[in-house]
């Protein structure tokens, strides 16, 4: 990821979000259009075997394989999701999971994204799954994200890269972007307003790239929804008010991408 790419992406994002920067989009209403378009995952297998057998990931035309992300004092088990053979990805998602999951939890969304040409890597964050972390602060997302970005650079050097985080991962995504990790965009799905002692509002003024923030007041409460809306305004990001759901529940519905899930892909591949 080069600085030139980051500048170009900033221009592209500004153009896309000009009418809605800091604005608010409607929630995921499960519209007929969303349910009738895009791929749908099989509900009865067959599932991938081997190292990923416990993830219960369905076999599709998407390429799905385990990998090890290695950085200084870090070894993070991950999963590589690639578009069908012969398809160059329009974007790459780096996916940060929530507290009740690990690299497997992004599987359905990541496979559906790959089938639409958006590649991705999910990984076990420090303290979760089988991550081996000897860094000074295991709660610091920056060394972890940078290690994954190095892997992305090897796999897909020319594709734009977007961080996508669910719940805890959403807050960690905001922290990583605020700390200056070199990505082309970011998505926060239900990230708590404070995580690991860091108030996200306190780092908002260091974020230069507009992102996408989605949260359900019904699931997370009015206080958290208001904080997310204010974070969107402070970072010139798009705010999406979801009707229900938390974290990665917002992006997949009945084996398909939800309206918000499709918004994430549209944002990533713009």
């Amino acid at each position: 990821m080069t600085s030139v790419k980051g500048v170009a992406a900033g221009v592209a994002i500004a153009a896309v979000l000009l009418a809605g920067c800091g604005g608010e989009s409607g929630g995921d209403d499960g519209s007929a259009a969303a349910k009738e378009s895009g791929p749908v995952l099989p509900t009865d297998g067959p599932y991938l075997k081997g190292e990923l057998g416990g993830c219960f990931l369905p076999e599709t035309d998407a390429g799905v394989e385990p990998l090890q992300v290695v950085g200084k004092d870090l070894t993070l088990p991950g999963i590589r999701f690639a578009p069908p053979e012969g398809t160059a990805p329009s974007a790459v998602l780096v996916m940060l999971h929530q507290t009740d999951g690990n690299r497997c939890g992004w599987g359905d969304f990541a496979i559906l994204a790959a089938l639409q040409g958006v590649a991705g890597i999910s990984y076990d964050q420090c303290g979760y799954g089988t991550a081996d972390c000897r860094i000074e602060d295991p709660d610091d997302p920056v060394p972890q994200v940078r290690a994954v970005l190095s892997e992305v650079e090897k796999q897909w050097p020319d594709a734009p890269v977007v961080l996508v985080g669910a719940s805890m991962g959403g807050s960690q995504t905001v922290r990583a972007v605020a700390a200056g990790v070199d990505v082309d965009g970011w998505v926060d799905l239900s990230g708590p307003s404070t995580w690991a002692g860091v108030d996200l509002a306190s780092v908002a003024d260091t974020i230069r790239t507009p992102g996408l923030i989605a949260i359900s007041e019904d699931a997370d409460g009015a206080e958290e929804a208001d904080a997310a809306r204010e974070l969107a305004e402070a970072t010139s990001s798009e705010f999406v008010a979801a009707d229900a759901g938390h974290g990665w529940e917002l992006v997949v519905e009945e084996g398909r991408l939800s309206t918000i899930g499709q918004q994430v892909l549209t944002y990533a591949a713009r």
Side-chain angles (χ1 to χ4, degrees), residues 162-179:
V162 174
L163 297 187
V164 182
S167 192
M168 168 189 71
S171 301
Q172 295 292 63
T173 287
V174 174
R175 290 184 62 195
V177 174

Side-chain angles (χ1 to χ4, degrees), residues 53 55 72 77 100 123 126 144-147 181 193 248 251:
C55 295
K72 187 179 186 320
D100 60 344
Y123 66 98
C126 291
Q144 303 174 62
V145 169
R146 285 183 171 152
V181 296
S193 56
W248 48 43
V251 291

